[in-house]
mmCIF file of all heavy atoms in Angstrom:
data_model
loop_
_atom_site.group_PDB
_atom_site.id
_atom_site.type_symbol
_atom_site.label_atom_id
_atom_site.label_comp_id
_atom_site.label_asym_id
_atom_site.label_seq_id
_atom_site.Cartn_x
_atom_site.Cartn_y
_atom_site.Cartn_z
ATOM 1 N N THR A 392 96.306 127.602 80.009
ATOM 2 C CA THR A 392 95.791 128.933 80.312
ATOM 3 C C THR A 392 95.568 129.676 78.988
ATOM 4 O O THR A 392 96.404 129.698 78.129
ATOM 5 C CB THR A 392 96.748 129.750 81.170
ATOM 6 O OG1 THR A 392 97.062 128.995 82.345
ATOM 7 C CG2 THR A 392 96.195 131.089 81.568
ATOM 8 N N ILE A 393 94.360 130.252 78.897
ATOM 9 C CA ILE A 393 93.972 131.089 77.745
ATOM 10 C C ILE A 393 93.783 132.480 78.219
ATOM 11 O O ILE A 393 93.131 132.736 79.217
ATOM 12 C CB ILE A 393 92.668 130.569 77.124
ATOM 13 C CG1 ILE A 393 92.684 129.051 76.845
ATOM 14 C CG2 ILE A 393 92.252 131.315 75.862
ATOM 15 C CD1 ILE A 393 93.764 128.579 75.915
ATOM 16 N N ASN A 394 94.430 133.451 77.493
ATOM 17 C CA ASN A 394 94.329 134.840 77.867
ATOM 18 C C ASN A 394 93.858 135.619 76.588
ATOM 19 O O ASN A 394 94.586 135.628 75.590
ATOM 20 C CB ASN A 394 95.661 135.361 78.379
ATOM 21 C CG ASN A 394 95.602 136.764 78.910
ATOM 22 O OD1 ASN A 394 94.522 137.363 78.997
ATOM 23 N ND2 ASN A 394 96.746 137.313 79.289
ATOM 24 N N PHE A 395 92.706 136.209 76.702
ATOM 25 C CA PHE A 395 92.166 137.016 75.550
ATOM 26 C C PHE A 395 92.658 138.460 75.756
ATOM 27 O O PHE A 395 92.249 139.100 76.677
ATOM 28 C CB PHE A 395 90.667 136.989 75.598
ATOM 29 C CG PHE A 395 90.067 135.629 75.381
ATOM 30 C CD1 PHE A 395 89.807 134.802 76.500
ATOM 31 C CD2 PHE A 395 89.928 135.102 74.127
ATOM 32 C CE1 PHE A 395 89.258 133.498 76.321
ATOM 33 C CE2 PHE A 395 89.358 133.823 73.968
ATOM 34 C CZ PHE A 395 89.066 133.028 75.026
ATOM 35 N N LYS A 396 93.510 138.890 74.850
ATOM 36 C CA LYS A 396 94.041 140.262 74.933
ATOM 37 C C LYS A 396 93.408 141.057 73.835
ATOM 38 O O LYS A 396 92.673 140.576 72.983
ATOM 39 C CB LYS A 396 95.554 140.219 74.815
ATOM 40 C CG LYS A 396 96.218 139.608 76.020
ATOM 41 C CD LYS A 396 97.693 139.878 75.961
ATOM 42 C CE LYS A 396 98.297 139.644 77.303
ATOM 43 N NZ LYS A 396 99.683 140.053 77.390
ATOM 44 N N GLU A 397 93.748 142.369 73.787
ATOM 45 C CA GLU A 397 93.176 143.333 72.858
ATOM 46 C C GLU A 397 93.216 142.772 71.368
ATOM 47 O O GLU A 397 92.185 142.714 70.695
ATOM 48 C CB GLU A 397 93.868 144.667 72.922
ATOM 49 C CG GLU A 397 93.319 145.710 71.981
ATOM 50 C CD GLU A 397 92.010 146.271 72.412
ATOM 51 O OE1 GLU A 397 91.737 146.305 73.664
ATOM 52 O OE2 GLU A 397 91.176 146.693 71.626
ATOM 53 N N ASN A 398 94.343 142.489 70.906
ATOM 54 C CA ASN A 398 94.522 141.991 69.536
ATOM 55 C C ASN A 398 95.250 140.679 69.339
ATOM 56 O O ASN A 398 95.844 140.430 68.310
ATOM 57 C CB ASN A 398 95.224 143.083 68.692
ATOM 58 C CG ASN A 398 94.391 144.341 68.562
ATOM 59 O OD1 ASN A 398 93.272 144.248 68.186
ATOM 60 N ND2 ASN A 398 94.997 145.492 68.923
ATOM 61 N N GLU A 399 95.183 139.828 70.409
ATOM 62 C CA GLU A 399 95.852 138.569 70.336
ATOM 63 C C GLU A 399 95.341 137.578 71.309
ATOM 64 O O GLU A 399 94.680 137.928 72.300
ATOM 65 C CB GLU A 399 97.363 138.723 70.478
ATOM 66 C CG GLU A 399 97.764 139.260 71.872
ATOM 67 C CD GLU A 399 99.267 139.607 71.939
ATOM 68 O OE1 GLU A 399 99.929 139.753 70.929
ATOM 69 O OE2 GLU A 399 99.764 139.694 73.068
ATOM 70 N N LEU A 400 95.633 136.327 71.026
ATOM 71 C CA LEU A 400 95.243 135.220 71.955
ATOM 72 C C LEU A 400 96.527 134.656 72.448
ATOM 73 O O LEU A 400 97.482 134.348 71.698
ATOM 74 C CB LEU A 400 94.481 134.131 71.120
ATOM 75 C CG LEU A 400 94.118 132.893 71.902
ATOM 76 C CD1 LEU A 400 93.136 133.183 73.023
ATOM 77 C CD2 LEU A 400 93.574 131.841 70.955
ATOM 78 N N GLU A 401 96.573 134.484 73.777
ATOM 79 C CA GLU A 401 97.740 133.789 74.337
ATOM 80 C C GLU A 401 97.302 132.447 74.900
ATOM 81 O O GLU A 401 96.260 132.345 75.530
ATOM 82 C CB GLU A 401 98.316 134.637 75.550
ATOM 83 C CG GLU A 401 99.170 135.807 75.170
ATOM 84 C CD GLU A 401 99.791 136.464 76.381
ATOM 85 O OE1 GLU A 401 99.442 136.163 77.538
ATOM 86 O OE2 GLU A 401 100.610 137.364 76.145
ATOM 87 N N ILE A 402 98.116 131.424 74.603
ATOM 88 C CA ILE A 402 97.794 130.087 75.135
ATOM 89 C C ILE A 402 99.092 129.626 75.786
ATOM 90 O O ILE A 402 100.188 129.680 75.234
ATOM 91 C CB ILE A 402 97.506 129.038 73.957
ATOM 92 C CG1 ILE A 402 96.269 129.556 73.227
ATOM 93 C CG2 ILE A 402 97.298 127.679 74.543
ATOM 94 C CD1 ILE A 402 95.988 128.772 71.944
ATOM 95 N N SER A 403 98.944 129.204 77.005
ATOM 96 C CA SER A 403 100.081 128.653 77.812
ATOM 97 C C SER A 403 99.794 127.231 78.188
ATOM 98 O O SER A 403 98.698 126.916 78.643
ATOM 99 C CB SER A 403 100.273 129.536 79.052
ATOM 100 O OG SER A 403 101.242 128.932 79.906
ATOM 101 N N VAL A 404 100.804 126.341 77.957
ATOM 102 C CA VAL A 404 100.669 124.944 78.387
ATOM 103 C C VAL A 404 101.876 124.665 79.244
ATOM 104 O O VAL A 404 103.064 124.800 78.769
ATOM 105 C CB VAL A 404 100.553 123.947 77.183
ATOM 106 C CG1 VAL A 404 100.526 122.557 77.647
ATOM 107 C CG2 VAL A 404 99.356 124.308 76.296
ATOM 108 N N LYS A 405 101.689 124.327 80.505
ATOM 109 C CA LYS A 405 102.744 124.083 81.438
ATOM 110 C C LYS A 405 102.661 122.674 81.956
ATOM 111 O O LYS A 405 101.544 122.226 82.285
ATOM 112 C CB LYS A 405 102.734 125.055 82.615
ATOM 113 C CG LYS A 405 102.946 126.512 82.222
ATOM 114 C CD LYS A 405 102.896 127.399 83.480
ATOM 115 C CE LYS A 405 103.012 128.846 83.100
ATOM 116 N NZ LYS A 405 102.926 129.740 84.275
ATOM 117 N N ASP A 406 103.782 122.059 82.154
ATOM 118 C CA ASP A 406 103.812 120.715 82.804
ATOM 119 C C ASP A 406 104.927 120.605 83.810
ATOM 120 O O ASP A 406 105.742 121.553 83.921
ATOM 121 C CB ASP A 406 103.936 119.624 81.678
ATOM 122 C CG ASP A 406 105.311 119.643 80.988
ATOM 123 O OD1 ASP A 406 106.347 119.621 81.635
ATOM 124 O OD2 ASP A 406 105.272 119.761 79.752
ATOM 125 N N LYS A 407 104.928 119.527 84.536
ATOM 126 C CA LYS A 407 105.910 119.239 85.598
ATOM 127 C C LYS A 407 106.736 118.051 85.129
ATOM 128 O O LYS A 407 107.170 117.227 85.942
ATOM 129 C CB LYS A 407 105.285 118.953 86.936
ATOM 130 C CG LYS A 407 104.332 120.037 87.430
ATOM 131 C CD LYS A 407 105.099 121.233 87.968
ATOM 132 C CE LYS A 407 104.148 122.173 88.663
ATOM 133 N NZ LYS A 407 103.973 123.455 88.077
ATOM 134 N N GLY A 408 107.006 117.917 83.828
ATOM 135 C CA GLY A 408 107.629 116.717 83.276
ATOM 136 C C GLY A 408 109.151 116.749 83.272
ATOM 137 O O GLY A 408 109.820 117.430 84.059
ATOM 138 N N ILE A 409 109.692 116.016 82.326
ATOM 139 C CA ILE A 409 111.102 115.764 82.288
ATOM 140 C C ILE A 409 111.933 116.962 81.796
ATOM 141 O O ILE A 409 113.128 117.022 82.010
ATOM 142 C CB ILE A 409 111.450 114.580 81.362
ATOM 143 C CG1 ILE A 409 110.997 114.814 79.920
ATOM 144 C CG2 ILE A 409 110.812 113.290 81.895
ATOM 145 C CD1 ILE A 409 111.461 113.749 78.905
ATOM 146 N N GLY A 410 111.254 117.967 81.193
ATOM 147 C CA GLY A 410 111.897 119.149 80.809
ATOM 148 C C GLY A 410 112.757 118.970 79.566
ATOM 149 O O GLY A 410 112.934 117.872 79.025
ATOM 150 N N ILE A 411 113.307 120.100 79.108
ATOM 151 C CA ILE A 411 114.119 120.112 77.837
ATOM 152 C C ILE A 411 115.377 120.872 78.161
ATOM 153 O O ILE A 411 115.351 121.982 78.694
ATOM 154 C CB ILE A 411 113.318 120.884 76.736
ATOM 155 C CG1 ILE A 411 111.959 120.286 76.547
ATOM 156 C CG2 ILE A 411 114.100 120.848 75.469
ATOM 157 C CD1 ILE A 411 110.949 121.164 75.823
ATOM 158 N N SER A 412 116.503 120.246 77.810
ATOM 159 C CA SER A 412 117.790 120.904 78.067
ATOM 160 C C SER A 412 117.885 122.230 77.234
ATOM 161 O O SER A 412 117.289 122.352 76.166
ATOM 162 C CB SER A 412 118.983 120.005 77.741
ATOM 163 O OG SER A 412 119.105 119.872 76.317
ATOM 164 N N GLU A 413 118.679 123.202 77.696
ATOM 165 C CA GLU A 413 118.900 124.406 77.005
ATOM 166 C C GLU A 413 119.417 124.150 75.556
ATOM 167 O O GLU A 413 119.044 124.775 74.585
ATOM 168 C CB GLU A 413 119.809 125.320 77.796
ATOM 169 C CG GLU A 413 119.763 126.726 77.347
ATOM 170 C CD GLU A 413 120.547 127.617 78.286
ATOM 171 O OE1 GLU A 413 120.400 127.526 79.513
ATOM 172 O OE2 GLU A 413 121.307 128.466 77.789
ATOM 173 N N GLU A 414 120.358 123.194 75.486
ATOM 174 C CA GLU A 414 120.906 122.831 74.175
ATOM 175 C C GLU A 414 119.895 122.288 73.252
ATOM 176 O O GLU A 414 119.843 122.651 72.053
ATOM 177 C CB GLU A 414 122.062 121.808 74.359
ATOM 178 C CG GLU A 414 122.768 121.472 73.093
ATOM 179 C CD GLU A 414 123.907 120.475 73.341
ATOM 180 O OE1 GLU A 414 124.391 120.343 74.475
ATOM 181 O OE2 GLU A 414 124.281 119.812 72.404
ATOM 182 N N ASP A 415 119.023 121.382 73.750
ATOM 183 C CA ASP A 415 117.967 120.833 72.881
ATOM 184 C C ASP A 415 116.912 121.857 72.479
ATOM 185 O O ASP A 415 116.339 121.723 71.381
ATOM 186 C CB ASP A 415 117.322 119.616 73.588
ATOM 187 C CG ASP A 415 118.167 118.377 73.556
ATOM 188 O OD1 ASP A 415 119.183 118.369 72.804
ATOM 189 O OD2 ASP A 415 117.786 117.421 74.241
ATOM 190 N N GLN A 416 116.655 122.876 73.304
ATOM 191 C CA GLN A 416 115.647 123.857 72.971
ATOM 192 C C GLN A 416 115.936 124.548 71.637
ATOM 193 O O GLN A 416 115.017 124.947 70.949
ATOM 194 C CB GLN A 416 115.511 124.877 74.094
ATOM 195 C CG GLN A 416 114.900 124.297 75.322
ATOM 196 C CD GLN A 416 114.803 125.296 76.468
ATOM 197 O OE1 GLN A 416 114.502 126.465 76.220
ATOM 198 N NE2 GLN A 416 115.055 124.884 77.663
ATOM 199 N N GLN A 417 117.207 124.678 71.355
ATOM 200 C CA GLN A 417 117.594 125.334 70.070
ATOM 201 C C GLN A 417 117.118 124.608 68.818
ATOM 202 O O GLN A 417 117.054 125.154 67.765
ATOM 203 C CB GLN A 417 119.095 125.563 70.022
ATOM 204 C CG GLN A 417 119.648 126.348 71.200
ATOM 205 C CD GLN A 417 121.178 126.272 71.142
ATOM 206 O OE1 GLN A 417 121.815 126.291 70.100
ATOM 207 N NE2 GLN A 417 121.787 126.295 72.321
ATOM 208 N N HIS A 418 116.862 123.290 68.954
ATOM 209 C CA HIS A 418 116.589 122.468 67.851
ATOM 210 C C HIS A 418 115.160 121.923 67.830
ATOM 211 O O HIS A 418 114.750 121.160 66.925
ATOM 212 C CB HIS A 418 117.531 121.251 67.846
ATOM 213 C CG HIS A 418 118.945 121.638 67.915
ATOM 214 N ND1 HIS A 418 119.627 122.179 66.861
ATOM 215 C CD2 HIS A 418 119.857 121.582 68.923
ATOM 216 C CE1 HIS A 418 120.870 122.440 67.226
ATOM 217 N NE2 HIS A 418 121.043 122.096 68.465
ATOM 218 N N LEU A 419 114.343 122.320 68.783
ATOM 219 C CA LEU A 419 112.991 121.750 68.968
ATOM 220 C C LEU A 419 112.121 121.835 67.743
ATOM 221 O O LEU A 419 111.241 120.943 67.564
ATOM 222 C CB LEU A 419 112.291 122.451 70.104
ATOM 223 C CG LEU A 419 112.606 121.997 71.530
ATOM 224 C CD1 LEU A 419 111.728 122.743 72.518
ATOM 225 C CD2 LEU A 419 112.427 120.521 71.692
ATOM 226 N N PHE A 420 112.240 122.824 66.926
ATOM 227 C CA PHE A 420 111.306 123.016 65.818
ATOM 228 C C PHE A 420 111.853 122.466 64.491
ATOM 229 O O PHE A 420 111.234 122.639 63.452
ATOM 230 C CB PHE A 420 110.898 124.501 65.711
ATOM 231 C CG PHE A 420 110.209 124.927 66.953
ATOM 232 C CD1 PHE A 420 110.908 125.580 67.935
ATOM 233 C CD2 PHE A 420 108.880 124.616 67.117
ATOM 234 C CE1 PHE A 420 110.241 125.951 69.122
ATOM 235 C CE2 PHE A 420 108.210 125.031 68.289
ATOM 236 C CZ PHE A 420 108.898 125.674 69.289
ATOM 237 N N LYS A 421 112.949 121.776 64.583
ATOM 238 C CA LYS A 421 113.501 121.109 63.356
ATOM 239 C C LYS A 421 112.785 119.790 63.126
ATOM 240 O O LYS A 421 112.396 119.082 64.119
ATOM 241 C CB LYS A 421 115.010 120.842 63.490
ATOM 242 C CG LYS A 421 115.834 122.148 63.562
ATOM 243 C CD LYS A 421 117.310 121.858 63.676
ATOM 244 C CE LYS A 421 118.098 123.132 63.731
ATOM 245 N NZ LYS A 421 119.505 122.909 64.017
ATOM 246 N N ARG A 422 112.648 119.465 61.899
ATOM 247 C CA ARG A 422 111.952 118.239 61.496
ATOM 248 C C ARG A 422 112.682 116.998 62.071
ATOM 249 O O ARG A 422 113.920 116.894 61.937
ATOM 250 C CB ARG A 422 111.885 118.125 60.005
ATOM 251 C CG ARG A 422 111.126 116.936 59.525
ATOM 252 C CD ARG A 422 111.242 116.767 58.028
ATOM 253 N NE ARG A 422 111.222 118.034 57.319
ATOM 254 C CZ ARG A 422 110.896 118.171 56.092
ATOM 255 N NH1 ARG A 422 110.647 117.124 55.382
ATOM 256 N NH2 ARG A 422 110.917 119.324 55.486
ATOM 257 N N PHE A 423 111.961 116.068 62.674
ATOM 258 C CA PHE A 423 112.457 114.814 63.243
ATOM 259 C C PHE A 423 113.345 114.968 64.442
ATOM 260 O O PHE A 423 113.952 114.036 64.873
ATOM 261 C CB PHE A 423 113.102 113.955 62.180
ATOM 262 C CG PHE A 423 112.281 113.602 61.020
ATOM 263 C CD1 PHE A 423 112.570 114.068 59.715
ATOM 264 C CD2 PHE A 423 111.088 112.889 61.223
ATOM 265 C CE1 PHE A 423 111.758 113.722 58.631
ATOM 266 C CE2 PHE A 423 110.261 112.558 60.179
ATOM 267 C CZ PHE A 423 110.577 112.949 58.866
ATOM 268 N N PHE A 424 113.457 116.217 65.016
ATOM 269 C CA PHE A 424 114.342 116.362 66.170
ATOM 270 C C PHE A 424 113.650 115.802 67.404
ATOM 271 O O PHE A 424 112.472 116.071 67.660
ATOM 272 C CB PHE A 424 114.756 117.863 66.439
ATOM 273 C CG PHE A 424 115.555 118.011 67.648
ATOM 274 C CD1 PHE A 424 116.941 117.707 67.606
ATOM 275 C CD2 PHE A 424 115.002 118.385 68.863
ATOM 276 C CE1 PHE A 424 117.684 117.792 68.745
ATOM 277 C CE2 PHE A 424 115.776 118.461 69.985
ATOM 278 C CZ PHE A 424 117.145 118.174 69.937
ATOM 279 N N ARG A 425 114.410 115.041 68.158
ATOM 280 C CA ARG A 425 113.987 114.530 69.429
ATOM 281 C C ARG A 425 115.040 114.805 70.480
ATOM 282 O O ARG A 425 116.222 114.619 70.233
ATOM 283 C CB ARG A 425 113.658 113.015 69.387
ATOM 284 C CG ARG A 425 112.696 112.773 68.286
ATOM 285 C CD ARG A 425 111.721 111.640 68.493
ATOM 286 N NE ARG A 425 111.023 111.706 69.800
ATOM 287 C CZ ARG A 425 110.830 110.686 70.557
ATOM 288 N NH1 ARG A 425 111.204 109.455 70.238
ATOM 289 N NH2 ARG A 425 110.208 110.820 71.714
ATOM 290 N N GLY A 426 114.695 115.294 71.630
ATOM 291 C CA GLY A 426 115.602 115.525 72.684
ATOM 292 C C GLY A 426 116.313 114.296 73.144
ATOM 293 O O GLY A 426 115.829 113.196 73.047
#
């Protein structure tokens, strides 16, 4: 989903996949991290 707002662009990507645990979400943006 793309939403054009006044001064920003919003992009949403949703899936029905395996999901990410709450604990793993804290580390998602670390280099080489895999859930």
Side-chain angles (χ1 to χ4, degrees):
T392 305
I393 308 300
N394 188 5
F395 299 92
K396 292 193 162 186
E397 181 74 29
N398 292 310
E399 64 189 17
L400 175 68
E401 283 185 350
I402 301 171
S403 170
V404 179
K405 296 180 184 177
D406 66 55
K407 306 283 192 246
I409 62 174
I411 307 161
S412 73
E413 198 171 313
E414 184 179 340
D415 283 349
Q416 288 178 41
Q417 300 171 34
H418 307 287
L419 279 182
F420 299 96
K421 293 181 181 174
R422 183 188 322 200
F423 300 117
F424 178 79
R425 303 214 52 221

